[in-house]
Amino acid sequence: MKRRGIFLLLTRREKNSRPIPIGVKSREAAQRLARHGRNELSEGRRRPPWRILLDQFADFMIVVLIAAAVVSGVIGEPQDTIAIIAILVLNAVIGFIQEYRAERAMAALKRIAAPGASVLRAGRRVTLAAHELVPGDVVALEAGNIVPADLRLTEAVRLQVNESALTGESAAVEKTVAALRDAEAPLGDRRNMGYKGTIVSYGRGRGIVVATGMATELGRIATLLAAADDNKTPLQKRLARFGGRLAMAVLAICAIISSPDCYVVSNRYLCSSPR
C-alpha cells in the first residue's frame, strides 16, 4: 500500500471515529514484503581501500606530475623529484581519507537502524526483525526504542523523539497525533510522524508504517550519499578541464623549448643541439 493510500485510510477512520487498524494478516504482510522489499537500506557497490587509493592517481594532471617527477630524476634534478613526489603523496593521502569516510557513511546509516520492532499482526503483539516490517504494520513504541520505519503516529502518550540523526536538532521533539495543517511542513515540524533511525527518549506511542527501506527519509539521505559519490560537482568538472588544458599547454611549451634550432646554410639543413 502506498504512503498516500495509508494516509487516506487513516484520515477516513479518524473522521468517522472508527477503530484504527491493529495490523495486517500474515499472508497480506508477505505479499507487501514482496512488493515493497525489505525494510533496510540498500548499499551500493563499495570500493575497496586499494581502489580508492589507486583512483587518487587517475586524474590527468596527476599523471603529468608523475611524468615530470620521472623526467626530473632522469636529468639529475633530485630536489624537484622529491618535491613533486611529496605533493603527490600528500594529495593522495588527503583524497583517500575524504573518500574513505564518504564510503563508510552508508555503513554508519545502517548502524543506526533498529534491529527489531514490537508489531501488531492481526491483533496479536509480536516481536519481528525490523527488516520484516511492511507498510500498514502497527508498531508500538516505548522509551529507548529506535523507530524502525517511517510511521504516522496514532497514539502518543507524552511521547518525545530525538530526531538529531535527521534534523541535527539535539532537543527531543514532543509528538502528537493531530493532523497537520500544512501538508508540506518541514521535516522537523511534522509532529505526528516518527522516522526511521530516530530514538524514542520519553513516553510511549503507536504508529502505522507508511514507508520502509529506501522510501523512508533516512533512505533518501542514503540515496543522496550514493549520488554524491558518483557525480562530480560543477567546480570539480571545471578544475578537471582546466587542469587538462594547463597540462597540454605546459607540454607544448616544453616541446618548443627542448626542440633544436634548424637553419639552412649553403643549401644544407643544419640543426643545433636542443636547449
Side-chain angles (χ1 to χ4, degrees):
M1 186 181 296
K2 294 183 178 180
R3 185 186 303 192
R4 181 177 179 81
I6 296 175
F7 270 121
L8 292 176
L9 176 62
L10 183 58
T11 302
R12 288 197 298 269
R13 289 182 177 271
E14 286 177 342
K15 288 182 178 180
N16 296 331
S17 299
R18 296 176 183 175
I20 294 175
I22 56 174
V24 296
K25 296 181 179 180
S26 298
R27 179 178 298 180
E28 177 64 21
Q31 294 175 354
R32 294 183 184 182
L33 184 62
R35 187 185 313 136
H36 297 280
R38 292 159 63 98
N39 178 36
E40 57 187 9
L41 302 181
S42 59
E43 190 171 2
R45 188 176 181 181
R46 185 186 298 177
R47 292 182 300 169
W50 65 267
R51 180 59 185 273
I52 298 176
L53 182 61
L54 188 62
D55 287 344
Q56 305 307 312
F57 299 96
D59 187 76
F60 181 74
M61 194 65 181
I62 299 299
V63 174
V64 172
L65 288 175
I66 294 174
V70 173
V71 172
S72 297
V74 171
I75 64 176
E77 296 290 343
Q79 294 180 348
D80 293 343
T81 303
I82 294 173
I84 295 174
I85 292 176
I87 293 172
L88 292 175
V89 170
L90 182 61
N91 177 77
V93 170
I94 294 175
F96 174 82
I97 293 174
Q98 291 178 339
E99 293 191 24
Y100 183 77
R101 287 178 177 175
E103 289 283 337
R104 302 300 298 175
M106 178 66 75
L109 288 179
K110 295 184 72 172
R111 282 197 299 269
I112 67 176
S118 180
V119 185
L120 293 176
R121 282 278 174 94
R124 296 177 54 199
R125 185 163 178 170
V126 296
T127 300
L128 299 177
H131 62 76
E132 297 180 9
L133 291 179
V134 297
D137 269 331
V138 178
V139 178
L141 300 174
E142 296 178 353
N145 289 163
I146 299 176
V147 180
D150 284 5
L151 311 175
R152 168 58 165 94
L153 298 175
T154 59
E155 179 184 336
V157 180
R158 304 181 69 180
L159 182 64
Q160 296 181 9
V161 180
N162 188 325
E163 298 180 342
S164 58
L166 293 178
T167 63
E169 179 61 46
S170 59
V173 179
E174 185 81 26
K175 292 296 183 178
T176 179
V177 299
L180 298 178
R181 295 182 178 180
D182 184 7
E184 302 298 329
L187 189 66
D189 294 337
R190 301 173 192 173
R191 299 299 180 93
N192 59 0
M193 294 289 296
Y195 293 105
K196 180 180 177 69
T198 58
I199 302 174
V200 179
S201 58
Y202 191 80
R204 60 183 176 86
R206 184 179 294 181
I208 295 180
V209 176
V210 296
T212 59
M214 297 300 287
T216 62
E217 295 296 333
L218 194 65
R220 294 182 182 182
I221 295 176
T223 301
L224 292 174
L225 285 174
D229 291 340
D230 297 334
N231 300 326
K232 291 185 177 181
T233 64
L235 178 59
Q236 289 176 319
K237 293 178 181 179
R238 292 178 182 177
L239 288 175
R241 288 196 299 267
F242 175 75
R245 294 170 182 172
L246 181 61
M248 295 302 295
V250 169
L251 291 176
I253 294 173
C254 292
I256 294 173
I257 294 175
S258 60
S259 62
D261 293 330
C262 298
Y263 306 93
V264 177
V265 180
S266 301
N267 295 326
R268 296 178 63 184
Y269 192 72
L270 301 177
C271 294
S272 62
S273 299
R275 291 189 290 270

